[in-house]
Amino acid sequence: MSSEEMLYAQGAKIWVPHAEQVWESATLEESYRKGAGFLKICTESGSLKEVKLKADGSDLPPLRNPAILVGQNDLTTLSYLHEPGVLHNLRVRFCERQIIYTYCGIILVAINPYAEMPLYGPSIIRAYRGHAMGDLEPHIFALAEEAYTKLERENCNLSIIVSGESGAGKTVSAKYAMRYFAAVGGSESETQVERKVLASSPIMEAFGNAKTTRNDNSSRFGKFTKLLFRNQMGVMYLQGATMHTYLLEKSRVVYQAQGERNYHIFYQLCAARSKYPELVLDHQDKFQFLNMGGAPEIERVSDADQFNETVQAMTVLGFSIQQIADIVKILAGILHLGNIQVSKKFNEGSEEEDTDSCDIFHNDIHLQITGDLLRVSAEDLRRWLLMRKIESVNEYVLIPNSIEAAQAARDALAKHIYAKLFQYIVGVLNKSLNNGSKQCSFIGVLDIYGFETFEVNSFEQFCINYANEKLQQQFNQHVFKLEQEEYLKEGITWTMIDFYDNQPCIDLIESRLGVLDLLDEECRMPKGSDESWAGKLIGKCSKFPHFEKPRFGTTSFFIKHFSDTVEYDVNGFLEKNRDTVSKELTQVLGESNMSLVKQVMTLEEIDTLSVDSAKSSTLGGRVVISAGRKQVVPSKQHRKTVGSQFQESLASLISTLHATTPHYVRCIKPNDDKIAFKWETAKIIQQLRACGVLETVRISAAGFPSRWLYPDFYMRYQLLVYRSKLDKNDMKQSCRNIVMKWIQDEDKYRFGNTQIFFRAGQVAFLEQVRANLRKKYITIVQSVVRRFIYRRRFLRLQMVISGIQRHARGFLARQRVWKMREARAGLILSKYARGWLCRRRYLRLRHSISGIQTYARGMMARSKFHAMRDHYRAVQIQRFVRGALARRAYQKRRRNIIICQAAIRRFLARRKFKRMKAEARTISHIENKYMGLENKIISMQQRIDELNRDNSNLKHKTSEISVLKMKLELKKTLEVEFKNVKAACQDKDRLIEALNKQLEAERDEKMQLLEENGHAQEEWISQKQTWRLENEELRRQIDEIIEMAKNAEVSQRNQEDRMLAEIDNRELNEAYQRAIKDKEVIETENYALKEELSRLTAGNFSLHGRKASNASSQNEDDVGYASAKNTLDINRPPDLLSKNYSYDTTSMVVKLRAILEEEKQKHKSLQEQYIKLASRHKPTEDSFRPACRAAGRGT
């Protein structure tokens, strides 16, 4: 039996073509025999069919993979590598298991789920960090980790190429890859870099993405982002990034198909128009450039919130507030430019229309707003929209534009402005992302448009498909190279694998006399047209096998691309390739008074990938900003066309990719309805063919696609040979014995160093053999087991039946006795039951009659009550209704009177308002407006005086504190002296004479103390004079500072506030330091006086007493530093002295606390007044606007 007969046995699963599902599963009803002309099959739907076959069996339908291989992570591990097998494996993973990622060799296939998936959080990033590709489920993070690990290990440049059609999720995949690199390549000191890299996505999506019929957030440009890494101690740290863009779809600015939108930023700006009243914006439906598609909204997306996110991201990436404001003005200017109305013009003196010219009204509001926003002359803008200049050798001629030509010039200018603005934004992003330091290596993330084919394909689709041809060629070469390297590493013999080479298609496009060459040549012709270029294509390119001419007409041509044959409509090719804009209009913008408009207009396009970064003066992307010298504007003859620029950029991109190690992500769009996990087979198979997945499968199938490690193969297929042929210590030889026994053709397998390589279908053949052997062995085991089970079941059944019979006979006897007992008991129970039933029936009847009577009487009483209550309520309702009608009439009359009063007051208020408005324009009003500045200076002088008073109060409080301390020490001394006085009183009579003598001596001492007091008073006066001079000096300094503040206030108010605050703090600190020093001096003097007083008291108090008549006549409230009150209080009576001292101390503390609280309140109120005064004279945005508007009208 041949291998085909064994595989195509009855019951085998196969795939057959289907009209709608592309492929349908079926089961063989009969086994295949060699030479048979047909196969009988039964499809999944239950229908029986016959499939015709060739005699040699070369067109046998593809077999289904074994169940063990269905749902594999890697498509190349399938036993049967063919289109239906790949499609079924993806469908099982996507629809049944809801897994969106699958490997296909080196490719990661990502299917857009159109639903939020919890697959991208920080925990997922940590889970994939450090794991090799294949250890965990397929994921974009696994591919990114593979690239980052290779970067760390080999320190080489890498790239990740993300492709797919619009809506397949390319932008999201590229965003998550960059998020992973930013997370694993960051450090604690460089979090700002990762923040900037992630913040660039909202900006690029706002300015470069738009809603299409296939995708709500479609990227309308190609983007190659280089993440720059630096090697630090063997670890790669992200230090910056650069961004390169390709082929922005400028035509979308002025035209959108039905169901599509313009770029997101325009709708975001209209949603946030309340923040920018100076832009004079309206709802998006009011602008010509925004209402063509008829779909201004995106479901579950807020344009206002997106605008806030965009502005926040621009702030993070270094855009200043002025730059953001200027960018917003340019965008608003583009919108108003699209609303400029070009009308018909009539010949003078007649109503005949002039078809060769047109007109734009001078008072066109949008024309004036465009001029104001872009800071250009509206009259010059109008002039060059209506006219064009044709230059000859020695002169130039002005020719009027028709309506169509004027509208085309207006649209070309809008596209040109937006394209230049986009280049400028990319440049600023690159300048912010790249700090200029030397990087070690980079990882490039390419987010490129996928292969496109529509009903009408134009120049944009041609460039996109051309780029995909180049990328597919690079992909095929890389896949082929990896396949051959794998064979060399395993040391097996191999032959050259034939794969599709699309170089002939690329030659058709870019070779001499190819499509692009003929297009550029036609663009250089003065009278070149799309039709003449199409004729040249048919004449020159018919020799290329990938070129086809149309059957009818010459307005289109066909190119056989690697994935499909595409028909291109030639209309618009030349205009889009030239990308011309009026030189005079660009000069008008170049003379703008807005610096950003000038800067944007001087940008020139270069290819940064092909220029050495050390010599490049670019900000990044594809632009360079002219800083010092005027750029030379190229002429029409020497200006590069869009096609040639794109060809050069694409060549540099391919060379960059060849210099890196690429990784591929192919994004698949499962359906056009954007429904979660909906599977459309026809659409998906077309994308698999276009993105190279099936080509990878075909290359793998041409070699040895199935590969098994020796241990895995041994464990699964060891039962295919006898035990004598198996040796666990030599698994390689054991596996060789297994393979050689069942596969006779040596070309079907190869033995490598670590793996066994099989050609397509051989693993399935071994699986079939294994299944047959297992079936045979299992049948034998089952027969023995079934005999044992049925015998044991019979013995158990026999024993159970004997027991059941025994118990059944006893049960029947017991049932007979039980029935006899029940019959006797039933008679007794029925007798008592009948009596009980009769009694219960009688009692129920009596209870029912009583209840009926009760409810009847109650119902009659309630009906009478209800009638009385209704009469009463009717009377009340009439009373309230009459009152309500009277009040309503009164309220209506009063409201009419109030309306009349309000009208009269409104008339008077309007007249007063007009009078006040007229007065506001007079000079006196302006003088009153600035009178507040003088008041501010006066208030500041008052504040300084109050601070001086606060300083003197603080000094006075310091003196009071020292006196209180001295009194406290004196009290302690007096307590000791009081005991001595008691003893001295007993000898009072004997000491009277001695005291009289001592009195004279004490008077002399008193005079001495008074003299010392006079000296201390003089010192205090001199100290006060010194303080007064210091205060005057401070006042003079403050006056000078106030004069300086007056001069500085005009130039810079903020700096004056800081200076005043510093001066106030310094003066307060100096005054506080001086007060502390004075306090220390006074405490020192006080301590010396106390020592002298203690000495005098110890020598004299025991000899005499002081009477009140001998005391000084000074006031008791004098508690100054030089007061003699402290010396006179010594001879007071002890009880009076203690009482007065306690009273003075308590009152002094209370007064001191009251003074402190009062000073705190004063200081707090002064500080609040100062803050209010400062905030009142602080300039605001509203105060600047009238002046700015006046200046704008003046200019």
Side-chain angles (χ1 to χ4, degrees), residues 951 954-955 958-959 962 1020 1023 1026-1027 1030 1068-1086 1121:
N951 291 337
L954 290 173
K955 294 173 184 178
T958 306
S959 65
S962 62
W1020 165 246
Q1023 185 67 29
T1026 303
W1027 290 345
E1030 290 177 354
L1068 291 174
N1069 291 333
E1070 290 175 357
Y1072 181 75
Q1073 294 296 331
R1074 286 195 299 271
I1076 292 175
K1077 291 180 181 179
D1078 295 339
K1079 175 177 176 295
E1080 291 175 355
V1081 172
I1082 293 171
E1083 285 180 352
T1084 304
E1085 294 175 356
N1086 189 18
Y1121 296 125

Side-chain angles (χ1 to χ4, degrees), residues 313-343:
M314 294 176 75
T315 305
V316 171
L317 285 166
F319 286 87
S320 64
I321 298 177
Q322 185 61 39
Q323 282 178 312
I324 297 175
D326 291 344
I327 290 172
V328 167
K329 289 181 180 179
I330 293 174
L331 294 172
I334 293 174
L335 294 179
H336 287 291
L337 179 64
N339 277 17
I340 296 176
Q341 294 296 326
V342 182
S343 58

Side-chain angles (χ1 to χ4, degrees), residues 74-76 81-83 86-87 90 102-111 163 472 475-476 479 562-563 664-668 684-701:
D74 195 340
L75 296 176
T76 58
L81 275 175
H82 42 58
E83 184 178 291
V86 170
L87 193 65
L90 290 175
T102 306
Y103 294 130
C104 181
I106 63 171
I107 301 175
L108 177 67
V109 180
I111 305 177
S163 64
Q472 183 65 24
F475 168 73
N476 289 343
V479 171
F562 69 94
S563 63
Y664 299 94
V665 180
R666 295 294 188 250
C667 299
I668 304 297
I684 292 175
I685 198 65
Q686 190 271 338
Q687 296 177 70
L688 292 176
R689 293 167 182 168
C691 68
V693 173
L694 296 182
E695 182 65 18
T696 304
V697 170
R698 197 189 66 80
I699 292 176
S700 299

